[in-house]
Amino acid sequence: MTELAAVKAALKTQAVETPSWAYGNSGTRFKVFAQAGVPRDPREKLDDAAKVHEFTGVAPTVALHIPWDKVDDYAALAKYAGERGVKLGAINSNTFQDDDYKLGSICHPDAAVRRKAVDHLLECVDIMDATGSADLKLWFADGTNYPGQDDVRERQDRLAEGLAEVYARLGEGQRMLLEYKFFEPAFYTTDVPDWGTAYAHCLKLGTKAQVVVDTGHHAPGTNIEFIVATLLREGKLGGFDFNSRFYADDDLMVGAADPFQLFRIMYEVVRGGGFGAESGVAFMLDQCHNIEAKIPAIIRSVMNVQEATAKALLVDRGALAAAQREGDVLGANAVLMDAYNTDVRPLLREVRGEMGLDPEPLAAYARSGWAEKIVAERVGGRQAGWGA
Ligand code: PSV
Ligand code: MN
């Protein structure tokens, strides 16, 4: 196989997971703007996700969020997804929207609240059994707002205890993916604020516990690709929640704010053996489309990930290694920048053509009439939104 053929073959195996909540209404804490045609239940979210996969060919799974996507029969929901050509992906837990969680969930000072939170996580594993999902994705809003509010060390003990109980419940082939976020909603201490804390807990738990890197969950200037390289090296990178940030956890389209950063991340993924199904690294989106049309925004996001991946795959690794060995600073940098500055859109158009897809997913989606159809048909009922 020529090198270009190998790059194309790799791109055809790419899999980006889209989040059910991105198809619903969302906003900032100031206002949620409703859009016409938005799904009213989990099935309609899957219908939209299936369209993203139909036009991109590389978005075969959909992440669910419990209880936002609560249904009576999860096996039936998985079957419904399958009939539309997609599968159910990670199950995202929610221990941050109940009044009981004001002071935290699995780190709460009251054992009864901790019990409630852990029971929810165990319920999520039951759901994974029914849907065939492999990953439980955990993000905790736990933390404190004021110095002295709670015992920071004890909160870590409570966290470890709760996680251990859920870990013990994981079945064969199931994983626990622990996300970190440096602040918000807690402002003084956060119980899982950084990759080091997440890594320490996952290391203690065992091989089924891995870290999720949400690209929006870092302070400005953080070198995310270094974190990626380190976690991959330790076998602890479970996956990504991709999105873009300008300020904090903006949840904008991945690759919109800083495509160069996305390329650098994808280069470390490729370099560290994190690309491809056998790597176990999950490439998920975690985004909210507040003012832009949702389905095209998700298609655009998937394409942005594809473009960054194509550029990362095009890096001349041999030339780079040679320049690095020789201490050729400018030469090494030039090899990386050559790949980044390549216009990979023609290559991706070819790849799509070879996959039997329209080379222009956004134009094909616009022509498909799906946007008009859902606006006409999804009338009445309650639109899905943040919290539903
Ligand atoms: C909140 O910050 C958050 O965006 C986390 O990143 C989760 O992954 C997501 O919500 C869904 O719960
Ligand atoms: Mn996330």
Side-chain angles (χ1 to χ4, degrees), residues 55 303 345 348-350 352-353 357-362 364:
F55 291 106
M303 292 169 70
R345 291 171 300 176
L348 284 164
R349 281 195 282 268
E350 257 179 58
R352 291 187 193 108
L357 300 167
D358 190 297
E360 298 287 355
L362 282 166

Side-chain angles (χ1 to χ4, degrees), residues 58-123:
V58 291
T61 58
V62 190
L64 296 188
H65 204 294
I66 308 299
W68 301 345
D69 297 315
K70 216 170 176 127
V71 291
D72 291 334
D73 186 343
Y74 288 98
L77 190 68
K79 186 163 173 276
Y80 183 91
E83 286 160 2
R84 275 143 195 85
V86 288
K87 279 188 172 160
L88 302 181
I91 301 298
N92 286 254
S93 58
N94 183 323
T95 52
F96 50 89
Q97 280 187 311
D98 218 287
D99 283 342
D100 285 340
Y101 298 141
K102 187 167 78 175
L103 302 180
S105 63
I106 71 168
C107 304
H108 197 285
D110 181 344
V113 178
R114 297 204 293 278
R115 185 69 256 151
K116 172 176 166 162
V118 171
D119 283 345
H120 167 70
L121 303 182
L122 295 172
E123 182 201 350

Side-chain angles (χ1 to χ4, degrees), residues 101-325:
Y101 298 141
K102 187 167 78 175
L103 302 180
S105 63
I106 71 168
C107 304
H108 197 285
D110 181 344
V113 178
R114 297 204 293 278
R115 185 69 256 151
K116 172 176 166 162
V118 171
D119 283 345
H120 167 70
L121 303 182
L122 295 172
E123 182 201 350
C124 287
V125 185
D126 292 341
I127 293 171
M128 289 162 68
D129 289 341
T131 57
S133 300
D135 294 334
L136 171 66
K137 185 143 72 65
L138 304 170
W139 172 69
F140 296 109
D142 292 48
T144 66
N145 273 3
Y146 293 98
Q149 179 190 319
D150 198 359
D151 188 305
V152 168
R153 275 186 65 142
E154 243 180 58
R155 291 181 73 92
Q156 288 297 309
D157 297 339
R158 298 170 202 152
L159 177 66
E161 196 181 310
L163 289 176
E165 186 176 342
V166 180
Y167 187 88
R169 163 69 183 82
L170 292 174
E172 193 66 27
Q174 292 180 336
R175 298 189 299 180
M176 171 189 274
L177 303 182
L178 182 59
E179 201 172 332
Y180 59 90
K181 177 173 175 177
F182 76 124
F183 87 112
E184 194 194 45
F187 296 116
Y188 170 56
T189 58
T190 295
D191 294 308
V192 192
D194 49 32
W195 74 268
T197 308
Y199 173 76
H201 282 280
C202 288
L203 195 64
K204 212 169 236 167
L205 287 163
T207 52
K208 290 180 183 174
Q210 291 184 307
V211 180
V212 173
V213 175
D214 183 314
T215 46
H217 290 188
H218 304 84
T222 303
N223 185 330
I224 300 176
E225 60 270 27
F226 180 81
I227 298 171
V228 169
T230 304
L231 287 173
L232 265 173
R233 193 168 170 273
E234 300 298 333
K236 279 292 185 196
L237 181 66
F240 289 95
D241 264 5
F242 279 136
N243 51 61
S244 279
R245 74 186 292 282
F246 284 102
Y247 295 98
D249 190 19
D250 305 347
D251 281 343
L252 299 175
M253 293 187 296
V254 60
D258 190 346
F260 184 40
Q261 180 189 59
L262 184 59
F263 160 76
R264 299 193 310 263
I265 290 171
M266 287 311 300
Y267 173 70
E268 288 305 331
V269 166
V270 170
R271 162 72 182 85
F275 187 72
E278 65 291 344
S279 75
V281 177
F283 298 89
M284 302 171 280
L285 304 181
D286 176 12
Q287 303 185 162
C288 294
H289 305 294
N290 304 343
I291 58 168
E292 67 274 30
K294 297 169 196 305
I295 298 173
I298 298 167
I299 292 176
R300 164 61 71 202
S301 306
V302 171
M303 292 169 70
N304 286 350
V305 175
Q306 274 187 305
E307 287 177 19
T309 308
K311 291 177 184 204
L313 290 166
L314 284 174
V315 171
D316 184 339
R317 301 257 305 268
L320 182 61
Q324 288 172 344
R325 269 195 310 271

